[in-house]
C-alpha cells in the first residue's frame, strides 16, 4: 500500500486520506509564514485512487510543474508544487520501502549530530549533509527547530524581494524561538540569522538587531564569520562605537575550540580590531 508524502525543505510530511490545507493561517495543516502565501492558499485531497491539488482563491496562485492551475488538478508521484515562493514535491512511497518508525508517533524527528538539522526517523540519513548519527528530540524542540528552518528560508526570500517590513517581522519571530530554552541551533542556521540581522541593522540604522546577533555568538562562545565583521565595519564610526561592549563580549567569550580553523582565527582578529575601535 502506498503512502502519500509532501517533501518540503528538508522534511517529508505524511498526508493522510482527506484534505490537507496549506496557507499562512494558524488553522492550516501546514502553516508557512511567507508574505506571498494567503491565509488559506491551497488544498491537497488524497483519495483511495486519486490525489488532487486546488487553489483556494489565493492572491498568487498555485503552480503545478511550473504551470499556474485553475480548479482541482490531478497530481502524482514526483509532481512539483509551488505555493507562494515555496517549492514542494509530492511523493508516493510503498510501505515496504519505508523504514520502521520504532513505534514513535507520527512526525517524530531526530537531530543530526553533524549539522544540527532536524529530520524524520523515516530517513536513513540527514537529507542536508548525509550524516547518519542523530539524537532524539522532544516534540517541542522539533517544532521550534522546524519553525526556525521555515523562518530562515522565508527571510531569504523576503530579503530577495526587498520586503523590509516582512523581514523585520520574521526576525522578531525568529528571536522569540531562539530565546526559548532547550533549542539546539546549529552553526549554519546561526550564521544565516546573524548575517540577516546585521544587514537589517546596517540598512535601517538601528543597532538593535546587530546587538542581538552578536549576543547569539557570545552566549555560545562562537566567533561570527568574517562576513558579519565586514558588514559591521561598514557602519559609521559612531555606530561601531555603540557596539563596543557587544563586540568585546564576543571576543571574551571565544574559546580555543571556536578558533581551531584559520578562517575563525582571522575572524577573531577582525572582531578584536572592531572592539578596539578599529
Amino acid at each position: 500500500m502506498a503512502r502519500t508524502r509532501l517533501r518540503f525543505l528538508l522534511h517529508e510530511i505524511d498526508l493522510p486520506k482527506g484534505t490537507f490545507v496549506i496557507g499562512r493561517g494558524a488553522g492550516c495543516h501546514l502553516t508557512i509564514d511567507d508574505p506571498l502565501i494567503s491565509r488559506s492558499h491551497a488544498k491537497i485531497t488524497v483519495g483511495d485512487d486519486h490525489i488532487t491539488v486546488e487553489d483556494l482563491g489565493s492572491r498568487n496562485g498555485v503552480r503545478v510543474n511550473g504551470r499556474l492551475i485553475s480548479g482541482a488538478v490531478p497530481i502524482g508521484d514526483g509532481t512539483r508544487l509551488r505555493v507562494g515562493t515555496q517549492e514542494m514535491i509530492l511523493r508516493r512511497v510503498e510501505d515496504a520501502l519505508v523504514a520502521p518508525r520504532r513505534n514513535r508517533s507520527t512526525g517524530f524527528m531526530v537531530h543530526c549530530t553533524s549539522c544540527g538539522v532536524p529530520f524524520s526517523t523515516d530517513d536513513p540519513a540527514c537529507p542536508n549533509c548525509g550524516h547518519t548519527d542523530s539524537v532524539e528530540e522532544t516534540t517541542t524542540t522539533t517544532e521550534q527547530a522546524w519553525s526556525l528552518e521555515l523562518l530562515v528560508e522565508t527571510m531569504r526570500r523576503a530579503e530577495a524581494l526587498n520586503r523590509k517590513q516582512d523581514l523585520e517581522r520574521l526576525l522578531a519571530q525568529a528571536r522569540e524561538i531562539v530565546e526559548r530554552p532547550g533549542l539546539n541551533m546549529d552553526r549554519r542556521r546561526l550564521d544565516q540569522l546573524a548575517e540577516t540581522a546585521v544587514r537589517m541593522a546596517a540598512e535601517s540604522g538601528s543597532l538593535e538587531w546587530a546587538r542581538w546577533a552578536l549576543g547569539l555568538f557570545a552566549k555560545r562562545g562562537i566567533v561570527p564569520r568574517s562576513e558579519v565583521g565586514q558588514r559591521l565595519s561598514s557602519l559609521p564610526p559612531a555606530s561601531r562605537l555603540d557596539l563596543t561592549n557587544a563586540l568585546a563580549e564576543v571576543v571574551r567569550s571565544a574559546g580555543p575550540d571556536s578558533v581551531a580553523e584559520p578562517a575563525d582565527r582571522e575572524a577573531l582578529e577582525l572582531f578584536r580590531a572592531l572592539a578596539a575601535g578599529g
Side-chain angles (χ1 to χ4, degrees), residues 145-270:
W146 195 336
S147 296
L148 191 57
E149 189 79 26
L150 297 181
L151 282 170
V152 168
E153 180 67 19
T154 307
M155 275 190 279
R156 289 174 56 196
R157 299 177 187 277
E159 201 169 6
L161 294 169
N162 199 31
R163 293 176 174 266
K164 294 181 180 178
Q165 288 185 337
D166 289 324
L167 182 59
E168 188 159 16
R169 176 175 55 82
L170 293 166
L171 273 171
Q173 293 179 22
R175 178 170 60 185
E176 181 183 347
I177 293 173
V178 168
E179 291 174 355
R180 294 173 189 168
L183 179 65
N184 180 21
M185 186 166 62
D186 66 281
R187 178 62 188 267
R188 175 185 62 89
R189 202 178 290 124
L190 177 62
D191 286 335
Q192 290 173 334
L193 274 177
E195 289 174 22
T196 301
V198 169
R199 283 196 296 270
M200 172 63 77
E203 292 174 7
S204 67
S206 171
L207 300 181
E208 175 191 0
W209 290 114
R211 288 194 187 92
W212 174 70
L214 292 170
L216 289 178
F217 287 96
K219 288 177 183 176
R220 292 162 175 79
I222 300 174
V223 179
R225 297 199 313 181
S226 294
E227 288 85 349
V228 174
Q230 290 164 2
R231 177 71 65 172
L232 292 172
S233 297
S234 68
L235 293 172
S239 296
R240 294 202 303 271
L241 186 62
D242 285 343
L243 291 173
T244 297
N245 290 339
L247 290 162
E249 189 58 34
V250 169
V251 174
R252 281 195 297 269
S253 68
D257 292 341
S258 68
V259 290
E261 300 294 329
D264 292 325
R265 291 194 292 272
E266 181 181 338
L268 181 58
E269 289 305 313
L270 174 57

